[in-house]
Amino acid sequence: MNNTSQINLHSLADKAINSLFITSVFISAIIYLLHIVTHFPFFDGSIHTRYLWLLSSGFKANVDFFCIYPTLGYFLTLPYFKLFPESAFVLLALRLFSAVVVALLGLAYYSHGRRISADWVVALLPFLLISTDRSIGVFFSEYSIDHLAALAAILAMTIIMSEPGFFRLALCSALSLISLFIMPKYHFPLFFGLLGYLWVCYATYRKPSMVISGLCAGAISALAIIFAIFSLNHGSIIDNFKYAYLFNFRFTSVLDEQIGSSPMYSPVIVYVWTFLRHHLLLSFSYAVGIYAWLRYAVSGWRKPDPLIWGGGGILLGCFLATLFDAVYCEQYITPVLLCLALFVPVAYSETVSSQRTIRYARYLFVTIAFAILVARLDRVADEFHLTAYNARGNTATTRTIIGEVTMAPTGINILNEYDDLLALIPKDETVVAAWPFHPLFRRDAAFQIFDDRPSLSGAFQERDPLSRSFAPETFMNALEKSAPALIVPQNLDEFFPPGWDLVVQDFLSRHRHLYEEYATNMYKGYIRKDLLE
């Protein structure tokens, strides 16, 4: 075969593979949108939504209700949230908000891939495989402030692996700080990656003042933006730091003392390894990308190369982040997977591999990924009948960690039930209901909207006034002061502070005459009779 024929053949093959990849993008979008419709309102997504509604209704975090998460992400979402009327189906609008954030994440990988290897296809494929997975993909489809933190963090890390400069350093510093204020899930990769990038900036320009001023300019700008957002929303940065950061740090210590050897609480590396064992193409792409980066780093470590030093810091931070214990949840696996995906395009760079190797590896990668995505499209259709209830997805990884996955009717059904309740219960009324029976957009009868196991109460400092809000007598006083519009006894012993389920039983035994039974397809509760008249 002559050179001209070979070039034409390669050109046709490239076009075919690009067409296959574009089809893969469309399939991924369909899978993602189907998850938005079918996904059951999972616990974390429901809590985020309830916090958002409380803030939008004028209530203040840790003044009118206890908030264990940082509030910056909620403040950023509020303008969008306030566009919609009060309906449980606003949850779908919030999921579409997450879809926009996920699309921007995809654009970040696209840009990163174009810069590293001049190939946007191989940079986006790992992200498509992650975002359409039956557990991680479902996590991406729900509203979570984690997605906003991920967007800021990944944008910062793409800068960390790019050419040094004053404005890039300032932007990287600002994005890193914003990500940490939204949700501190990427702290290790950002910290060590930024250290590497600072070294590259110093070694390139030999101007310490430029490096320090760039770092400070970004940090001061980010803090000014954060302070302005909190001020506009009448939020307290001090309380936010106290209860969303210091409190969670102490709660982690409480977990370490009480969880023992439970498989639900293990180092994150256990969950990541279990996930990757069931996702061989993704595992292989990570391994090849990291191997290619190591080859490149070994040959050029003496140079102030941001791909080497910034990338090395990200990789080190990523590894360290997996050594700490966490409960099994997709939000702890995702940061590691997203960070590792940044290294995949390195394997397809001509500075590391030959053009021929890159071409054939690309063909193979795209073809297998396309087949995987087609199979996922077929499986996601099953979720219109039943969807996972006690997990984000009925996957091999989930079953390995938590055991049997309980299935429930598709998510759109429970939104209908929520809407029926919202129509019955006036906005100023309170409810006593745990996830997933809480109708989202109504106040709780007490200061606490949920509890964990072991109880969050163990992480309060001595004499913290908020610790009293977990006491059963505080809850009883709240019920006696104003009889709640709805009471659902189910799941209270699991998701409310210890002893509160007994308080509800006692309250109902003495005030049963005020309530009428209210049954849905999922539970039986009690609604106040005057609301049914």
Side-chain angles (χ1 to χ4, degrees), residues 7-138:
I7 291 171
N8 289 336
L9 186 61
H10 285 158
S11 177
L12 287 172
D14 288 339
K15 289 178 181 178
I17 287 297
N18 287 341
S19 299
L20 200 63
F21 175 75
I22 291 170
T23 306
S24 299
V25 172
F26 279 110
I27 292 173
S28 299
I30 292 170
I31 293 171
Y32 185 90
L33 292 173
L34 289 177
H35 280 316
I36 286 177
V37 175
T38 62
H39 175 36
F40 192 86
F42 191 65
F43 178 79
D44 297 76
S46 297
I47 293 297
H48 287 306
T49 304
R50 286 167 67 184
Y51 281 152
L52 185 62
W53 178 80
L54 286 166
L55 290 168
S56 73
S57 300
F59 299 105
K60 294 182 180 179
N62 302 309
V63 175
D64 300 307
F65 65 96
F66 180 58
C67 183
I68 195 174
Y69 295 124
T71 51
L72 178 61
Y74 303 128
F75 292 150
L76 292 172
T77 316
L78 276 178
Y80 173 79
F81 181 75
K82 289 180 177 179
L83 293 174
F84 300 96
E86 190 176 83
S87 165
F89 290 94
V90 173
L91 191 67
L92 299 181
L94 287 173
R95 290 178 177 181
L96 288 174
F97 177 84
S98 292
V100 173
V101 176
V102 170
L104 292 174
L105 262 174
L107 287 175
Y109 282 101
Y110 165 84
S111 175
H112 177 69
R114 289 291 299 267
R115 184 173 48 77
I116 297 294
S117 63
D119 192 337
W120 54 280
V121 170
V122 296
L124 267 177
L125 265 180
F127 180 68
L128 294 184
L129 291 173
I130 295 169
S131 60
T132 58
D133 176 70
R134 292 189 82 180
S135 60
I136 305 290
V138 166

Side-chain angles (χ1 to χ4, degrees), residues 104-184:
L104 292 174
L105 262 174
L107 287 175
Y109 282 101
Y110 165 84
S111 175
H112 177 69
R114 289 291 299 267
R115 184 173 48 77
I116 297 294
S117 63
D119 192 337
W120 54 280
V121 170
V122 296
L124 267 177
L125 265 180
F127 180 68
L128 294 184
L129 291 173
I130 295 169
S131 60
T132 58
D133 176 70
R134 292 189 82 180
S135 60
I136 305 290
V138 166
F139 166 57
F140 271 124
S141 74
E142 67 188 39
Y143 170 70
S144 174
I145 55 177
D146 287 58
H147 306 332
L148 292 168
L151 178 60
I154 294 301
L155 286 172
M157 283 185 264
T158 59
I159 295 172
I160 285 170
M161 299 174 77
S162 67
E163 292 302 314
F166 175 85
F167 291 107
R168 286 180 177 174
L169 176 58
L171 182 58
C172 178
S173 173
L175 288 169
S176 299
L177 201 56
I178 289 171
S179 176
L180 295 177
F181 263 87
I182 294 173
M183 181 65 85

